[in-house]
Amino acid sequence: MSLRRSMFFHLLKRGLLGRGDRPLIAFIALAVASTMITAMLNLYFGLESKLNRDFRSYGANVTLAASGAQALPEDASPKAQSVLPKDSLVAPFAFAIAHASNGDAVVVAGTDMSQIQRLNAWWGVSRWPGAQGEALVGSKAESHLGASSGAFDLQFAGRTLHLRQIGTLKTGADEENRIYIPLSTFESWTRIKPSLLEISIPGRSRQVSAAIAMLQSVFPGMQVRPVRQLLEAEGAVIGRMRSVMLACTVLIALTAVLCVFSTLTSSVLERRRDFAVMKAIGSSQKTVNILFAAEALSIAILAACTGYLLGSGIAAWISQANFHTTVVPQISVLPLVILASMVLALMAALLPLAQLQRIEPAGILKGE
């Protein structure tokens, strides 16, 4: 048994190293395919994570609002945070219409300044408030305040609030018409509790949908809604990226299969006499097939490992050059690349294996 095993590995080694350039050509074709598959997978997984993080900086992707004119429960923010994924952001909002000293009506929003600073990193803010009595004023709301040296008063329900403008907000949207103050200051002044939670949930669309379902079960009667524009934009970008990468990978894989198929077919024709001798001295068709498949798989595994190293480097270069971020090599990609390379090699070997079935030792050894 050991002699047969030793002879098998001797023939395998001879088939890999003693056939001129043919194994090298197959190796190069599979290595190129493995390189591109590795680069595409690393870019896909790495850039998808980056896109998810980038989209989170564009604000909330889910809102939770009280019905009608009601307020949210006192523990709404911590309760929502407790059932959401770890890196979720939750910012409470309360709103009131107050009047400036000149009588103009302005919308005042009370919120957690530290949370919205993280939630809305895309906002154009000259300076964030950091203490009581400080306000962030929208660029369009400034004209209604008549502020002197940055200080102004607001009236609500007969109560006056003295504020100092610390920063100006520019978003190009409705936020520019509002004045943002700390939630504790807002509640003590207006006696109004938060009625809205803006929530940023990390992850893919199905993870966001699962989180929405969880919120709906925890807050029955409340309005839990996804921010469709953000989710659809994210899904469209990731979907297009997936389609382009899949198309490129399939095209490269097909090219590699054709190249390896041509090489293996030529190898079978070139080595007909060797296989005929093996059959003549007692080797079964199964043994001949296993030997030929083992040669193809050995080339495939070596090509996959080489392609993984090259592809990881290419993915890091592409991501840095085009997206200004470095994609870290994903070790989980290596088994997929090895499996893909082996499948491509076996696909290319199917027809050559069928040709092996038709080899007749007597005819070939007689020179027919």
Side-chain angles (χ1 to χ4, degrees), residues 279-295:
K279 286 186 176 182
I281 62 177
S283 294
S284 65
Q285 182 63 50
K286 180 181 178 181
T287 301
V288 174
N289 290 344
I290 291 175
L291 176 63
F292 188 76
E295 292 178 9

Side-chain angles (χ1 to χ4, degrees), residues 324-336:
H324 307 292
T325 186
T326 300
V327 171
V328 178
Q330 305 283 328
I331 193 64
S332 59
V333 167
L334 180 57
L336 296 176

Side-chain angles (χ1 to χ4, degrees), residues 14-160:
R14 182 172 178 271
L16 293 172
L17 302 178
R19 292 196 287 120
D21 295 336
R22 297 196 186 280
L24 180 61
I25 294 172
F27 168 80
I28 291 174
L30 289 173
V32 170
S34 298
T35 297
M36 298 310 299
I37 291 172
T38 300
M40 295 300 175
L41 289 175
N42 273 322
L43 285 172
Y44 175 71
F45 290 122
L47 291 179
E48 184 176 21
S49 298
K50 181 182 184 298
L51 285 173
N52 282 328
R53 291 193 301 270
D54 288 347
F55 272 102
R56 294 294 74 78
S57 68
Y58 290 112
N61 54 3
V62 175
T63 60
L64 189 155
S67 300
Q70 298 178 357
L72 293 172
E74 289 284 346
D75 61 345
S77 291
K79 192 174 181 180
Q81 191 77 64
S82 67
V83 300
L84 292 173
K86 180 180 178 182
D87 296 328
S88 299
L89 298 175
V90 178
F93 284 85
F95 300 94
I97 298 177
H99 290 83
S101 55
N102 60 5
D104 288 352
V106 291
V107 177
V108 183
T111 186
D112 185 332
M113 289 295 179
S114 61
Q115 284 292 84
I116 65 166
Q117 185 173 356
R118 298 170 59 199
L119 182 66
N120 296 308
W122 64 277
W123 280 7
V125 177
S126 58
R127 182 183 172 188
W128 287 93
Q132 297 295 325
E134 296 180 345
L136 176 64
V137 180
S139 59
K140 294 180 181 178
E142 286 181 319
S143 61
H144 300 286
L145 299 180
S148 175
S149 301
F152 59 94
D153 294 337
L154 293 177
Q155 296 281 339
F156 180 82
R159 294 182 291 273
T160 302

Side-chain angles (χ1 to χ4, degrees), residues 300-318:
I301 293 172
L302 183 59
C305 294
T306 303
Y308 174 79
L309 296 176
L310 295 174
S312 297
I314 291 174
W317 174 74
I318 291 175

Side-chain angles (χ1 to χ4, degrees), residues 81-329:
Q81 191 77 64
S82 67
V83 300
L84 292 173
K86 180 180 178 182
D87 296 328
S88 299
L89 298 175
V90 178
F93 284 85
F95 300 94
I97 298 177
H99 290 83
S101 55
N102 60 5
D104 288 352
V106 291
V107 177
V108 183
T111 186
D112 185 332
M113 289 295 179
S114 61
Q115 284 292 84
I116 65 166
Q117 185 173 356
R118 298 170 59 199
L119 182 66
N120 296 308
W122 64 277
W123 280 7
V125 177
S126 58
R127 182 183 172 188
W128 287 93
Q132 297 295 325
E134 296 180 345
L136 176 64
V137 180
S139 59
K140 294 180 181 178
E142 286 181 319
S143 61
H144 300 286
L145 299 180
S148 175
S149 301
F152 59 94
D153 294 337
L154 293 177
Q155 296 281 339
F156 180 82
R159 294 182 291 273
T160 302
L161 179 65
H162 304 285
L163 294 170
R164 184 162 61 94
Q165 181 179 351
I166 290 298
T168 301
L169 170 64
K170 293 182 179 180
T171 64
D174 290 340
E175 291 85 3
E176 293 184 355
N177 295 308
R178 300 171 186 166
I179 299 171
Y180 290 87
I181 62 176
L183 183 60
S184 58
T185 301
F186 181 92
E187 288 181 339
S188 62
W189 171 48
T190 63
R191 313 292 195 267
I192 296 176
K193 299 296 183 182
S195 59
L196 175 71
L197 295 182
E198 289 194 357
I199 304 170
S200 175
I201 302 172
R204 301 178 182 178
S205 296
R206 63 175 178 271
Q207 294 169 310
V208 176
S209 298
I212 290 174
M214 179 65 71
L215 289 172
Q216 289 172 333
S217 65
V218 173
F219 296 96
M222 301 294 175
Q223 299 175 10
V224 183
R225 296 172 179 170
V227 180
R228 294 294 181 188
Q229 297 92 333
L230 189 62
L231 291 179
E232 289 173 1
E234 180 179 358
V237 171
I238 293 175
R240 280 194 291 269
M241 183 179 70
R242 182 188 293 116
S243 299
V244 170
M245 290 185 175
L246 178 62
C248 292
T249 301
V250 169
L251 181 61
I252 292 166
L254 289 176
T255 303
V257 167
L258 291 175
C259 183
V260 176
F261 164 75
S262 175
T263 302
L264 294 180
T265 302
S266 299
S267 175
V268 169
L269 296 175
E270 183 182 88
R271 299 167 63 197
R272 286 182 302 169
R273 183 173 294 274
D274 293 343
F275 292 125
V277 170
M278 289 180 62
K279 286 186 176 182
I281 62 177
S283 294
S284 65
Q285 182 63 50
K286 180 181 178 181
T287 301
V288 174
N289 290 344
I290 291 175
L291 176 63
F292 188 76
E295 292 178 9
L297 291 176
S298 299
I299 295 172
I301 293 172
L302 183 59
C305 294
T306 303
Y308 174 79
L309 296 176
L310 295 174
S312 297
I314 291 174
W317 174 74
I318 291 175
S319 62
Q320 186 62 48
N322 294 278
F323 301 98
H324 307 292
T325 186
T326 300
V327 171
V328 178

